[in-house]
Amino acid sequence: EDQVTQSPEALRLQEGESSSLNCSYTVSGLRGLFWYRQDPGKGPEFLFTLYSAGEEKEKERLKATLTKKESFLHITAPKPEDSATYLCAYTNTGNQFYFGTGTSLTVIP
Amino acid sequence: DGGITQSPKYLFRKEGQNVTLSCEQNLNHDAMYWYRQDPGQGLRLIYYSQIVNDFQKGDIAEGYSVSREKKESFPLTVTSAQKNPTAFYLCASSASGTAFYGYTFGSGTRLTVV
């Protein structure tokens, strides 16, 4: 069964303490792996799309990478405003997304 | 600015009532989707529509209904048959009838049964 698993469920970091969030997947025919940021009470905001193993994308303090079995969201020198839930999702048909349960990140000043 | 507007932001439903959640987009996207989000669970697909006057059931369609009479609008009705409707509901859209390039989400409606 296709699925995506995110870890850890929750992560607390001191401001400036770099870390990584993991998204592992068992999907046949993966066409895209997506990262979203969701703030409390709001809809998810698109961050990155990764299409093939070895691909990397960066945006400010965030860097997403993709291997054949997992994706990482690296957060370098995080700030309190990076606190949010980070969701990963995949598509194999191009018509629907399947979401993980998310990692709740808290960055402490 | 283009985007997706969901209303209301908060909605309260009494037992046995049907309620309708609004979703409007001005992105000229073909496809629209409804997801339900519960604590500790990933987003689950309720219904989706790739073109006007056509829609398909998602993984948890029981107790819900939709319509797609206009490209811009995709309202979701939570019927009395949905026994556990308290959740955060998200509407999304994508271009060209495929999610390959990513969804745009609305800001959500929080539905509570009272």
Side-chain angles (χ1 to χ4, degrees):
Chain A
E1 178 182 340
D2 292 349
Q3 64 178 10
V4 58
T5 304
Q6 291 189 249
S7 63
E9 289 186 12
L11 181 63
R12 290 172 63 90
L13 299 173
Q14 290 293 135
E15 185 173 0
E17 179 187 1
S18 301
S19 187
S20 297
L21 282 55
N22 177 262
C23 174
S24 62
Y25 61 91
T26 54
V27 177
S28 56
L30 180 79
R31 294 190 68 196
L33 190 291
F34 302 79
W35 283 97
Y36 284 84
R37 169 190 170 127
Q38 186 175 22
D39 292 300
K42 296 188 177 181
E45 174 187 347
F46 172 77
L47 292 174
F48 303 109
T49 308
L50 302 166
Y51 297 113
S52 58
E55 189 174 1
E56 299 182 352
K57 289 190 177 176
E58 291 187 63
K59 179 180 180 180
E60 296 181 352
R61 295 176 292 281
L62 300 177
K63 179 180 177 180
T65 62
L66 183 66
T67 72
K68 288 185 178 180
K69 293 185 177 181
E70 56 193 354
S71 177
F72 292 95
L73 184 65
H74 307 278
I75 303 177
T76 302
K79 298 181 178 181
E81 52 263 41
D82 295 322
S83 298
T85 295
Y86 290 87
L87 302 171
C88 76
Y90 71 87
T91 181
N92 53 5
T93 65
N95 292 325
Q96 295 181 38
F97 279 16
Y98 299 91
F99 287 84
T101 54
T103 293
S104 175
L105 174 66
T106 302
V107 181
I108 305 163
Chain B
D1 288 339
I4 297 181
T5 301
Q6 288 188 241
S7 62
K9 187 172 178 64
Y10 299 97
L11 186 58
F12 298 91
R13 192 193 93 166
K14 295 181 179 179
E15 296 285 348
Q17 260 188 347
N18 293 353
V19 292
T20 297
L21 284 60
S22 171
C23 178
E24 303 277 336
Q25 55 102 355
N26 60 4
L27 299 166
N28 200 33
H29 284 173
D30 292 311
M32 298 186 73
Y33 310 80
W34 274 106
Y35 282 87
R36 169 179 173 145
Q37 187 173 37
D38 296 281
Q41 298 193 42
L43 277 68
R44 293 182 290 168
L45 182 65
I46 304 172
Y47 269 97
Y48 66 100
S49 168
Q50 295 181 314
I51 57 172
V52 174
N53 292 321
D54 186 52
F55 48 82
Q56 286 77 42
K57 293 181 179 180
D59 301 318
I60 56 166
E62 185 175 352
Y64 300 97
S65 66
V66 294
S67 63
R68 187 86 186 277
E69 298 178 359
K70 299 187 299 181
K71 187 175 184 178
E72 300 79 17
S73 179
F74 191 41
L76 173 73
T77 297
V78 184
T79 75
S80 56
Q82 171 49 240
K83 298 307 178 186
N84 184 24
T86 295
F88 190 52
Y89 290 86
L90 287 161
C91 180
S93 69
S94 65
S96 303
T98 174
F100 195 57
Y101 298 102
Y103 286 163
T104 299
F105 281 91
S107 56
T109 293
R110 185 165 299 281
L111 173 63
T112 304
V113 174
V114 295

